[in-house]
Amino acid sequence: MSKWHRFFTALALSAGLAAAQASELEAQSRALQRASDAGIGLTARVPSDARSAATLGQQRQGAGVVIGEDGTVLTIGYLILEAEDVVLTTDDGREVPATVVAYDVATGFGMVRPLLPLKLAPAPLGRSGAVAGNEPLVVVSGGDEGAVSGARLVSRRGFSGNWEYHIDGALCTAPARRDHSGAGLFNGRGELVGIGSLWLADASGGEGPRQSGYMFVPIDLLTPVRGELRARGISRASERAWIGLQCAETGSGLRIMRVNPDSPADVAGLEAGDTIERIDGAAVVTLESFYKALWSGGPAERNVTLDLLRNGRPLAVTLRTVDRMKTLKRAQGV
């Protein structure tokens, strides 16, 4: 008898539920058991000369979810970014080497495929947009050290990362837990609705009481590009301009916190402490407005002009953007 079956059977007995309700709970237990079984551990090794090694480390450990009949695993992209070796770990401790199928800048998803059969049924995909605020959710982090726990949706909103990343409809949940990277977020029907990305100091985003939690990339972002990722290793939306900045919102502009070495921003002489006020004449006060202006303003490689404040003095800088994917080592298999 599975842990889910025991859990729901005990719940039904303790609550004195009718046979029909108990049967429904049993069906739910089977669906969640399948979701739990689809969770898998993931370890990646990145070469020391990879651009991402300095910020994300050479050894990365997290999780993923089996979503394909061929064993394809969906995970969060930063785990496998520039990876040289990837190993998947099942709940019983079996280790299976894998190859990278896709790393997608636009969504943040990553995909890997095992080189040996996993013999695990894929998790069905749900609709992240249909997740209700009061709906019970389950987080599954696979591997021999994985865990299963309950979660609740705290907010659904656009999310902007300071590393030139933005998605719409991010699922922000609580409570917080440490093993979020690549973990699967499932609804009560055992359908995958999100993949864990990062810890949040405030999952509410100002919509309620402040509480820590996690941001999950919504599965709805995968549906339109799934075939493209399998075929090309990247979506067309990921072929976009990159400058190489990490910024923070100040209310009057974007303060540069870090300039990536050898990036277009570095070559152009941008400095930490500069404040970006406009890009190609358009005012920007949020990360979202900055990124969308950058990505929609033309081809990935082009000239853009930034109007800055440096030590209180205005400064205009023109730089040449690049396609982010061209600056990275090709992950094994992509």
Side-chain angles (χ1 to χ4, degrees):
M1 182 182 290
S2 74
K3 58 187 175 184
W4 290 109
H5 186 89
R6 290 194 298 269
F7 174 78
F8 283 109
T9 298
L11 179 62
L13 291 174
S14 64
L17 295 177
Q21 293 173 296
S23 177
E24 183 179 343
L25 284 175
E26 184 174 351
Q28 187 177 19
S29 78
R30 288 195 296 269
L32 291 174
Q33 181 62 53
R34 179 174 179 174
S36 177
D37 291 343
I40 196 163
L42 185 150
T43 303
R45 184 173 64 85
V46 175
S48 59
D49 60 343
R51 277 183 174 267
S52 60
T55 53
L56 297 175
Q58 288 183 252
Q59 299 288 336
R60 303 172 195 169
Q61 189 165 3
V65 179
V66 179
I67 63 166
E69 294 291 345
D70 62 352
T72 296
V73 171
L74 183 67
T75 186
I76 196 66
Y78 62 76
L79 290 178
I80 60 169
L81 175 59
E82 301 184 291
E84 191 171 68
D85 296 299
V86 177
V87 175
L88 301 172
T89 306
T90 62
D91 286 352
D92 59 6
R94 184 165 55 101
E95 295 187 347
V96 177
T99 185
V100 175
V101 174
Y103 167 70
D104 195 49
V105 174
T107 61
F109 286 129
M111 278 185 180
V112 303
R113 183 181 298 117
L115 299 179
L116 298 171
L118 289 175
K119 300 178 181 178
L120 296 173
L125 303 187
R127 290 184 54 244
S128 50
V131 175
N134 60 350
E135 182 177 352
L137 302 171
V138 175
V139 180
V140 175
S141 182
D144 54 358
E145 295 184 0
V148 176
S149 64
R152 67 183 186 281
L153 182 66
V154 176
S155 66
R156 180 192 283 108
R157 65 181 190 272
F159 174 83
S160 298
N162 62 15
W163 59 95
E164 297 183 42
Y165 174 71
H166 177 84
I167 58 171
D168 293 319
L171 302 175
C172 303
T173 70
R177 52 182 280 177
R178 64 176 180 81
D179 53 348
H180 63 281
S181 300
L185 182 67
F186 292 86
N187 61 24
R189 295 179 296 281
E191 298 169 333
L192 181 66
V193 295
I195 290 291
S197 178
L198 50 82
W199 178 86
L200 295 172
D202 183 14
S204 73
E207 298 177 10
R210 186 179 179 87
Q211 57 186 313
S212 61
Y214 284 113
M215 187 275 278
F216 287 82
V217 179
I219 205 67
D220 288 357
L221 296 183
L222 175 67
T223 306
V225 300
R226 184 174 180 178
E228 197 174 9
L229 296 187
R230 290 176 64 93
R232 302 178 62 240
I234 188 174
S235 69
R236 297 193 186 281
S238 292
E239 297 170 346
R240 62 193 187 190
W242 179 73
I243 292 178
L245 293 173
Q246 292 183 14
C247 299
E249 297 175 358
T250 66
S252 59
L254 303 177
R255 181 174 295 275
I256 298 175
M257 309 304 293
R258 182 178 182 272
V259 178
N260 291 11
D262 301 321
S263 67
D266 188 27
V267 172
L270 272 65
E271 301 175 358
D274 291 346
T275 297
I276 302 173
E277 295 186 312
R278 288 176 294 278
I279 177 171
D280 289 336
V284 290
V285 294
T286 65
L287 292 172
E288 180 178 358
S289 63
F290 178 46
Y291 299 156
K292 289 186 174 180
L294 174 64
W295 298 332
S296 65
E301 298 180 347
R302 69 183 194 278
N303 291 333
V304 300
T305 299
L306 301 180
D307 290 317
L308 313 171
L309 281 180
R310 177 176 293 172
N311 298 323
R313 297 182 177 181
L315 174 67
V317 175
T318 299
L319 53 80
R320 182 78 177 175
T321 66
V322 299
D323 185 333
R324 173 59 167 163
M325 292 302 296
K326 293 182 179 180
T327 71
L328 301 171
K329 282 183 172 293
R330 297 285 285 181
Q332 180 188 5
V334 173

